[in-house]
């Protein structure tokens, strides 16, 4: 890879993971489509960490996600399984064949009107049948569209979003999509509901070999593979797929980082007891087995709890979202993910996945929590010290790991990223001789301000912090979630609304090894202990033994004990 990038291979396992992944890749794509002035210095984030270069059969240079995704039959809607970058191989074979030809065509899903407009605007399919996709001039810099002008992105109507492929703007490589044909995405029958079903999928030679072939394809072209990031549904049978996938990665690619993001949509209804019990069991089995084979595991959810009792979803002062819509929830989680993963995607002085995990997971603490302030509240006339002082002594971010109220918890280690603030506001702008409102106002760099603030908040905590100028892009198809009190750059207006759509935002994100996991994991184990499994024999029938459940309960309790309150590690 150009510039010696430390490559990461992304795995997306499950349908909600597909929603989060679609927003994630759309945000990466929006960041790539910025100005391409040759005099500009390279961006702070290195896209080659996540993307790979290639060529179509017609010699067109491409830039596509280094991605393997698995989902169920019926989940792609009108998206082709080969991603659409290459001409249809069967069509090429038919052209070469000179004899009589009979074509049998399966009825296609209607293409989402948003994607029809998107493809038409980008002109990706020419009359000669060649896909016109993004190319990289001289193999350097961000990719450009081959059309003369970049079309204004369109926002899909929310009622039109049924599956993640309905709003994915990014072209995928033919080796990216792996469909599990034995289970259905829609309908009541043939669903991938239980952890054991998911585990059994990657015990079948057909699916195991397909995954291994794709892994080898992507890994062998990497110069320096730092590891794997896995977006995995925790609430359904994909938790079992993720467990087997991480086991495979640990066995075959020892020494590489494996960071797993366990994704949970919300909220849920008490009126669906079997679905809720399965969600609880899948989450427990997933967290235990994924943490055994990953460098780090982080549950991500807008829900208030992992347990059976529903709690209100989290709220953000400047966001208006519908917690019942995966399209909304996944956008927020993708924004948090785009921020907390910054350390191992930096162009200059990156922190490797392995080092990030080592900093957070000492003493068996393989599970971490996430939090984010979306957007970070800054008034245009304020400095960063002003904004941080205004936050007060409370936890500055909204919890995103369904671990309940963060007040009164002990943090053992944390990685914090603040992005999207203009350099002019990083330090205090007070005139000389003015009394300083706080120690933060005495700092001479933004990095020092952020580090000093974290030190004040948690004096004995091992902290790593990064401050970036690069904001998080939230252009369509990102949903309209922002209040009218925000500017186009996501700053809090101190005057009347301008009416301009928000296009980018500053975000504060954090990963924490937190004592809140003691309560959360312990409560999860207690709820499982109370279950009468004879009522849920179908979960055991799916390939999990009673002994497996007892083992998971013990490991869950042991994991919870790692997070008992006490002095954090500071040496």
């Amino acid at each position: 890879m150009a510039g010696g990038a430390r490559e990461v291979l992304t795995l997306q396992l499950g349908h909600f993971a597909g929603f989060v992944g679609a927003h994630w890749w759309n945000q990466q794509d929006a960041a790539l489509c910025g100005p391409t002035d040759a005099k500009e210095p390279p961006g702070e984030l290195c896209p080659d960490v996540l993307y790979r270069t290639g060529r179509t059969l017609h010699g067109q240079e491409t830039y596509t996600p280094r991605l393997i995704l698995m989902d169920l039959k019926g989940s792609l809607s009108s998206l082709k399984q080969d991603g659409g970058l290459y001409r249809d191989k069967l069509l090429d074979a038919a052209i070469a064949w000179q004899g009589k030809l009979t074509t049998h065509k399966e009825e296609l899903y209607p293409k989402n009107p948003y994607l029809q407009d998107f493809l038409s605007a980008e002109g990706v399919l020419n009359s000669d049948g060649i896909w016109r996709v993004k190319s990289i001039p001289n193999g350097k810099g961000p990719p450009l569209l081959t059309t003369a002008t970049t079309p204004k992105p369109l926002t899909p109507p929310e009622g039109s979003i049924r599956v993640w492929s309905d709003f994915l703007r990014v072209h995928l490589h033919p080796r990216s999509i792996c469909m599990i044909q034995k289970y259905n995405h829609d309908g009541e029958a043939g669903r991938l509901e239980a952890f054991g079903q998911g585990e059994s999928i990657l015990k079948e030679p057909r699916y195991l070999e397909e995954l291994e072939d794709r892994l080898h394809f992507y890994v062998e072209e990497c110069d320096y593979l730092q590891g794997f990031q896995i977006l995995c549904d925790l609430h359904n049978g994909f938790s079992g797929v993720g467990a087997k996938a991480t086991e495979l990665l640990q066995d075959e690619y020892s020494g590489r980082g494996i960071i797993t993001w366990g994704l949970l949509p919300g909220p849920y209804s008490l009126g669906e007891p079997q679905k809720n019990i399965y969600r609880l069991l899948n989450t427990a089995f997933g967290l235990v087995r994924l943490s055994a084979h990953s460098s780090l595991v982080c549950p991500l959810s807008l829900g208030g709890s992992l347990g059976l009792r529903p709690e209100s979803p989290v709220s953000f002062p400047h966001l208006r979202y519908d917690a019942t819509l995966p399209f909304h929830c996944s956008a927020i989680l993708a924004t948090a993910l785009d921020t907390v993963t910054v350390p191992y995607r930096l162009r200059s002085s990156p922190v490797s996945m392995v080092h990030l995990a080592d900093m957070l997971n000492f003493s068996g603490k393989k599970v971490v929590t996430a939090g984010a302030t979306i957007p970070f509240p800054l008034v245009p006339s304020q400095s960063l010290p002003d904004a941080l002082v205004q936050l007060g002594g409370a936890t500055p971010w909204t919890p995103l790991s369904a671990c309940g109220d963060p007040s009164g918890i002990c943090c053992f280690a944390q990685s914090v990223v603040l992005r999207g603030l203009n350099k002019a506001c990083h330090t205090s702008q007070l005139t000389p001789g003015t009394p300083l409102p706080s120690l933060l106002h005495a700092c001479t760099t933004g990095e020092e301000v952020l580090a000093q603030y974290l030190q004040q908040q948690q004096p004995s905590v091992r902290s790593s912090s990064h401050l970036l100028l690069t904001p998080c892009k939230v252009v369509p198809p990102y949903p309209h979630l922002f209040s009218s009190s925000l500017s186009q750059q996501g700053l809090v207006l101190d005057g009347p609304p301008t009416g301009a759509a928000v296009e980018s935002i500053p975000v504060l994100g954090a990963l924490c090894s937190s004592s809140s996991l003691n309560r959360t994991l312990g409560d999860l184990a207690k709820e499982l202990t109370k279950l009468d499994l004879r009522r849920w024999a179908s979960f055991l029938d799916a390939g999990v033994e009673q002994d497996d459940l007892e083992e998971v309960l013990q490991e869950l309790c042991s994991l919870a004990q790692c997070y008992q309150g006490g002095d954090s590690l500071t040496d």
Side-chain angles (χ1 to χ4, degrees):
M1 294 294 293
R6 301 152 73 90
E7 302 98 340
V8 170
L9 174 55
T10 302
L11 277 71
Q12 285 171 209
L13 310 175
H15 201 66
F16 188 60
F19 266 84
V20 175
H23 280 300
W24 158 274
W25 293 113
N26 286 344
Q27 287 180 308
Q28 309 312 310
D29 189 64
L32 288 172
C33 293
T36 56
D37 187 343
K39 296 178 182 177
E40 276 193 17
E44 295 166 298
L45 299 175
C46 178
D48 290 345
V49 171
L50 300 173
Y51 280 75
R52 62 178 294 281
T53 56
R55 288 186 183 277
T56 66
L57 298 176
H58 302 280
Q60 182 77 29
E61 195 167 8
T62 62
Y63 201 50
T64 53
R66 190 178 298 105
L67 168 68
I68 299 171
L69 71 85
M70 300 183 79
D71 209 338
L72 306 180
K73 181 172 63 177
S75 63
L76 291 185
S77 188
S78 59
L79 178 66
K80 289 185 177 183
Q81 187 171 341
D82 65 6
L85 277 179
Y86 291 73
R87 290 185 65 180
D88 191 296
K89 293 179 181 178
L90 293 178
L91 178 59
D92 287 342
I95 292 170
W97 170 249
Q98 299 300 313
K100 188 176 179 182
L101 182 69
T102 303
T103 303
H104 300 274
K105 193 175 240 184
E106 185 180 353
E107 187 176 348
L108 298 175
Y109 286 94
K111 190 180 291 294
N112 185 291
Y114 161 72
L115 284 184
Q116 285 182 328
D117 291 338
F118 159 57
L119 293 176
S120 172
E122 289 202 337
V124 291
L125 184 61
N126 205 13
S127 57
D128 60 2
I130 300 175
W131 289 98
R132 302 298 186 194
V133 295
K134 293 178 179 177
S135 62
I136 310 171
N138 302 320
K140 296 179 182 178
L144 302 173
L145 291 174
T146 55
T147 46
T149 58
T150 303
K152 187 176 180 62
L154 307 163
T155 303
E158 286 166 8
S160 73
I161 302 297
R162 295 187 310 108
V163 293
W164 55 263
S165 54
D166 283 339
F167 63 95
L168 178 69
R169 283 179 56 90
V170 178
H171 296 288
L172 302 181
H173 188 272
R175 297 285 189 108
S176 280
I177 300 175
C178 177
M179 297 306 296
I180 300 171
Q181 300 292 343
K182 67 182 293 185
Y183 292 106
N184 297 317
H185 167 64
D186 290 314
E188 293 303 314
R191 304 298 294 271
L192 182 58
E193 297 176 310
F195 180 90
Q197 292 173 308
E199 267 197 323
S200 67
I201 287 172
L202 290 184
K203 291 177 182 175
E204 293 185 29
R206 169 188 173 185
Y207 293 111
L208 178 61
E209 289 170 11
E210 191 169 358
L211 176 59
E212 288 179 329
D213 286 347
R214 290 163 193 262
L215 284 170
H216 293 155
F217 170 77
Y218 285 113
V219 169
E220 286 169 8
E221 67 181 11
C222 293
D223 291 333
Y224 184 81
L225 177 74
Q226 62 168 309
F228 306 87
Q229 60 177 12
I230 301 174
L231 280 63
C232 178
D233 287 4
L234 264 188
H235 60 294
N236 55 33
F238 273 102
S239 63
V241 177
K244 291 303 289 183
T246 53
E247 183 181 355
L248 171 67
L249 294 176
Q250 188 184 48
D251 289 344
E252 289 206 18
Y253 303 100
S254 175
R256 309 296 187 190
I258 303 172
I259 297 183
T260 302
W261 310 97
L263 303 168
L264 292 149
Y268 48 91
S269 167
L270 282 175
E272 300 175 297
Q274 176 164 320
K275 188 175 286 188
N276 282 333
I277 296 296
Y278 273 39
R279 177 184 55 78
L280 191 76
L281 288 162
N282 289 329
T283 299
F285 271 83
L287 285 175
V288 167
R289 298 287 171 79
L290 287 167
S291 63
H293 304 299
S294 302
S295 311
L296 209 62
V297 175
C298 180
L300 285 176
S301 172
L302 299 182
S305 163
L306 293 180
L308 286 176
R309 185 183 296 276
E311 293 188 21
S312 299
V314 297
S315 61
F316 299 83
H318 298 288
L319 297 187
R320 308 288 181 265
Y321 76 97
D322 184 343
T324 65
L325 292 179
F327 183 53
H328 283 190
C329 295
S330 57
I332 295 170
L333 294 180
T335 300
L337 198 59
D338 190 33
T339 301
V340 297
T341 59
V342 156
Y344 58 82
R345 298 191 289 124
L346 290 169
R347 189 181 298 275
S348 176
S349 303
V351 178
S352 73
M353 299 177 90
V354 169
H355 288 152
L356 178 64
D358 284 347
M359 190 200 82
L360 293 168
N361 73 4
F362 60 89
S363 303
K365 298 179 178 70
K366 285 281 198 80
V367 183
V368 296
T369 63
T373 305
I374 304 173
F376 180 76
L378 186 78
V379 175
S381 59
Q382 278 185 323
S383 68
L384 176 57
D386 296 332
L388 292 173
V389 168
Q390 196 169 312
L391 288 174
T395 304
W397 41 76
T398 299
L400 296 178
S401 293
C403 289
D405 184 0
S407 59
I409 64 162
C410 170
C411 181
F412 305 104
Q414 62 187 7
S415 168
V416 179
V417 175
L418 177 57
R419 61 185 301 188
L421 299 186
N422 191 299
K423 195 158 190 173
C425 72
H426 282 186
T427 55
S428 173
Q429 303 302 313
L430 295 175
T431 54
T434 306
L436 298 178
S438 74
L439 288 175
L440 301 182
H441 289 77
C443 297
T444 57
T445 66
E447 288 80 5
E448 191 183 340
V449 171
L450 183 57
Q452 177 71 31
Y453 171 74
L454 296 173
Q455 169 69 15
Q456 289 178 358
Q457 290 288 101
Q458 301 269 5
S460 60
V461 172
R462 174 191 280 182
S463 284
S464 167
S465 58
H466 292 87
L467 183 64
L468 275 73
L469 301 175
T470 309
C472 194
K473 297 285 189 178
V474 290
V475 296
Y478 199 95
H480 294 305
L481 305 179
F482 301 100
S483 71
S484 59
S485 61
L486 297 179
S487 71
Q488 199 168 8
Q489 289 74 41
L491 300 181
V492 181
L493 295 169
D494 47 9
T498 63
V502 179
E503 294 185 352
S504 64
I505 55 172
V507 179
L508 176 67
L511 295 177
C512 303
S513 178
S514 162
S515 63
S516 64
L517 286 160
N518 174 252
R519 180 185 63 232
T520 299
L521 299 176
D523 288 350
L524 195 59
K526 286 176 187 174
E527 292 204 52
L528 286 176
T529 306
K530 294 175 185 175
L531 286 183
D532 180 2
L533 283 175
R534 290 172 298 182
R535 293 184 57 198
W536 313 106
S538 55
F539 186 88
L540 300 177
D541 291 343
V544 172
E545 304 288 341
Q546 179 70 36
D547 289 346
D548 294 326
L549 181 59
E550 297 299 327
E551 183 183 335
V552 162
L553 276 171
Q554 289 179 8
E555 292 180 16
L556 205 55
C557 291
S558 298
L559 201 53
Q561 287 174 1
C562 293
Y563 299 92
Q564 286 181 336
D567 292 336
S568 53
L569 187 65
T570 56
D571 56 1

PDB file of all heavy atoms in Angstrom, residues 360-373:
ATOM      1  N   LEU A 360      -5.964  -0.779  27.153  1.00  0.00           N
ATOM      2  CA  LEU A 360      -7.290  -0.816  27.770  1.00  0.00           C
ATOM      3  C   LEU A 360      -7.627  -2.139  28.449  1.00  0.00           C
ATOM      4  O   LEU A 360      -8.492  -2.182  29.338  1.00  0.00           O
ATOM      5  CB  LEU A 360      -8.357  -0.519  26.702  1.00  0.00           C
ATOM      6  CG  LEU A 360      -8.366   0.894  26.112  1.00  0.00           C
ATOM      7  CD1 LEU A 360      -9.250   0.950  24.878  1.00  0.00           C
ATOM      8  CD2 LEU A 360      -8.830   1.913  27.141  1.00  0.00           C
ATOM      9  N   ASN A 361      -6.982  -3.233  28.048  1.00  0.00           N
ATOM     10  CA  ASN A 361      -7.485  -4.550  28.477  1.00  0.00           C
ATOM     11  C   ASN A 361      -6.622  -5.250  29.515  1.00  0.00           C
ATOM     12  O   ASN A 361      -6.659  -6.477  29.634  1.00  0.00           O
ATOM     13  CB  ASN A 361      -7.686  -5.464  27.256  1.00  0.00           C
ATOM     14  CG  ASN A 361      -6.367  -5.944  26.660  1.00  0.00           C
ATOM     15  OD1 ASN A 361      -5.294  -5.669  27.186  1.00  0.00           O
ATOM     16  ND2 ASN A 361      -6.447  -6.656  25.553  1.00  0.00           N
ATOM     17  N   PHE A 362      -5.835  -4.518  30.296  1.00  0.00           N
ATOM     18  CA  PHE A 362      -4.962  -5.153  31.285  1.00  0.00           C
ATOM     19  C   PHE A 362      -5.796  -5.898  32.333  1.00  0.00           C
ATOM     20  O   PHE A 362      -6.984  -5.619  32.536  1.00  0.00           O
ATOM     21  CB  PHE A 362      -4.066  -4.103  31.957  1.00  0.00           C
ATOM     22  CG  PHE A 362      -4.825  -3.022  32.678  1.00  0.00           C
ATOM     23  CD1 PHE A 362      -5.188  -3.170  34.000  1.00  0.00           C
ATOM     24  CD2 PHE A 362      -5.177  -1.859  32.012  1.00  0.00           C
ATOM     25  CE1 PHE A 362      -5.893  -2.184  34.664  1.00  0.00           C
ATOM     26  CE2 PHE A 362      -5.892  -0.871  32.663  1.00  0.00           C
ATOM     27  CZ  PHE A 362      -6.244  -1.027  33.996  1.00  0.00           C
ATOM     28  N   SER A 363      -5.173  -6.861  32.992  1.00  0.00           N
ATOM     29  CA  SER A 363      -5.799  -7.641  34.083  1.00  0.00           C
ATOM     30  C   SER A 363      -7.086  -8.341  33.650  1.00  0.00           C
ATOM     31  O   SER A 363      -8.037  -8.434  34.421  1.00  0.00           O
ATOM     32  CB  SER A 363      -6.075  -6.740  35.292  1.00  0.00           C
ATOM     33  OG  SER A 363      -4.899  -6.116  35.739  1.00  0.00           O
ATOM     34  N   GLY A 364      -7.111  -8.815  32.406  1.00  0.00           N
ATOM     35  CA  GLY A 364      -8.271  -9.585  31.946  1.00  0.00           C
ATOM     36  C   GLY A 364      -9.461  -8.768  31.521  1.00  0.00           C
ATOM     37  O   GLY A 364     -10.517  -9.326  31.214  1.00  0.00           O
ATOM     38  N   LYS A 365      -9.310  -7.457  31.497  1.00  0.00           N
ATOM     39  CA  LYS A 365     -10.446  -6.582  31.154  1.00  0.00           C
ATOM     40  C   LYS A 365     -10.584  -6.475  29.639  1.00  0.00           C
ATOM     41  O   LYS A 365     -10.303  -5.426  29.039  1.00  0.00           O
ATOM     42  CB  LYS A 365     -10.260  -5.203  31.798  1.00  0.00           C
ATOM     43  CG  LYS A 365     -10.214  -5.232  33.322  1.00  0.00           C
ATOM     44  CD  LYS A 365      -9.993  -3.822  33.883  1.00  0.00           C
ATOM     45  CE  LYS A 365      -9.994  -3.797  35.398  1.00  0.00           C
ATOM     46  NZ  LYS A 365      -8.805  -4.435  35.973  1.00  0.00           N
ATOM     47  N   LYS A 366     -11.046  -7.535  29.006  1.00  0.00           N
ATOM     48  CA  LYS A 366     -11.155  -7.576  27.539  1.00  0.00           C
ATOM     49  C   LYS A 366     -12.353  -6.780  27.016  1.00  0.00           C
ATOM     50  O   LYS A 366     -12.431  -6.476  25.827  1.00  0.00           O
ATOM     51  CB  LYS A 366     -11.303  -9.033  27.082  1.00  0.00           C
ATOM     52  CG  LYS A 366     -10.025  -9.863  27.143  1.00  0.00           C
ATOM     53  CD  LYS A 366      -9.130  -9.551  25.953  1.00  0.00           C
ATOM     54  CE  LYS A 366      -8.098 -10.645  25.745  1.00  0.00           C
ATOM     55  NZ  LYS A 366      -8.632 -11.814  25.054  1.00  0.00           N
ATOM     56  N   VAL A 367     -13.336  -6.491  27.887  1.00  0.00           N
ATOM     57  CA  VAL A 367     -14.536  -5.766  27.455  1.00  0.00           C
ATOM     58  C   VAL A 367     -14.401  -4.301  27.871  1.00  0.00           C
ATOM     59  O   VAL A 367     -13.978  -4.004  28.993  1.00  0.00           O
ATOM     60  CB  VAL A 367     -15.810  -6.371  28.074  1.00  0.00           C
ATOM     61  CG1 VAL A 367     -17.061  -5.654  27.555  1.00  0.00           C
ATOM     62  CG2 VAL A 367     -15.901  -7.863  27.754  1.00  0.00           C
ATOM     63  N   VAL A 368     -14.719  -3.392  26.953  1.00  0.00           N
ATOM     64  CA  VAL A 368     -14.684  -1.962  27.260  1.00  0.00           C
ATOM     65  C   VAL A 368     -16.027  -1.340  26.904  1.00  0.00           C
ATOM     66  O   VAL A 368     -16.840  -1.941  26.196  1.00  0.00           O
ATOM     67  CB  VAL A 368     -13.553  -1.233  26.491  1.00  0.00           C
ATOM     68  CG1 VAL A 368     -12.192  -1.744  26.933  1.00  0.00           C
ATOM     69  CG2 VAL A 368     -13.724  -1.372  24.983  1.00  0.00           C
ATOM     70  N   THR A 369     -16.255  -0.130  27.414  1.00  0.00           N
ATOM     71  CA  THR A 369     -17.465   0.612  27.072  1.00  0.00           C
ATOM     72  C   THR A 369     -17.100   1.772  26.153  1.00  0.00           C
ATOM     73  O   THR A 369     -15.949   2.206  26.099  1.00  0.00           O
ATOM     74  CB  THR A 369     -18.152   1.172  28.330  1.00  0.00           C
ATOM     75  OG1 THR A 369     -17.265   2.103  28.969  1.00  0.00           O
ATOM     76  CG2 THR A 369     -18.511   0.064  29.295  1.00  0.00           C
ATOM     77  N   ALA A 370     -18.101   2.262  25.439  1.00  0.00           N
ATOM     78  CA  ALA A 370     -17.914   3.416  24.554  1.00  0.00           C
ATOM     79  C   ALA A 370     -18.837   4.538  24.995  1.00  0.00           C
ATOM     80  O   ALA A 370     -19.889   4.310  25.605  1.00  0.00           O
ATOM     81  CB  ALA A 370     -18.202   3.036  23.103  1.00  0.00           C
ATOM     82  N   GLY A 371     -18.428   5.761  24.685  1.00  0.00           N
ATOM     83  CA  GLY A 371     -19.268   6.927  24.929  1.00  0.00           C
ATOM     84  C   GLY A 371     -18.944   7.990  23.900  1.00  0.00           C
ATOM     85  O   GLY A 371     -17.860   7.992  23.307  1.00  0.00           O
ATOM     86  N   ALA A 372     -19.886   8.896  23.664  1.00  0.00           N
ATOM     87  CA  ALA A 372     -19.643   9.959  22.687  1.00  0.00           C
ATOM     88  C   ALA A 372     -20.528  11.159  22.984  1.00  0.00           C
ATOM     89  O   ALA A 372     -21.645  11.011  23.503  1.00  0.00           O
ATOM     90  CB  ALA A 372     -19.892   9.470  21.261  1.00  0.00           C
ATOM     91  N   THR A 373     -20.010  12.332  22.640  1.00  0.00           N
ATOM     92  CA  THR A 373     -20.799  13.562  22.663  1.00  0.00           C
ATOM     93  C   THR A 373     -20.992  13.960  21.208  1.00  0.00           C
ATOM     94  O   THR A 373     -20.032  14.322  20.520  1.00  0.00           O
ATOM     95  CB  THR A 373     -20.054  14.677  23.421  1.00  0.00           C
ATOM     96  OG1 THR A 373     -19.730  14.198  24.731  1.00  0.00           O
ATOM     97  CG2 THR A 373     -20.921  15.910  23.555  1.00  0.00           C
TER      98      THR A 373
END
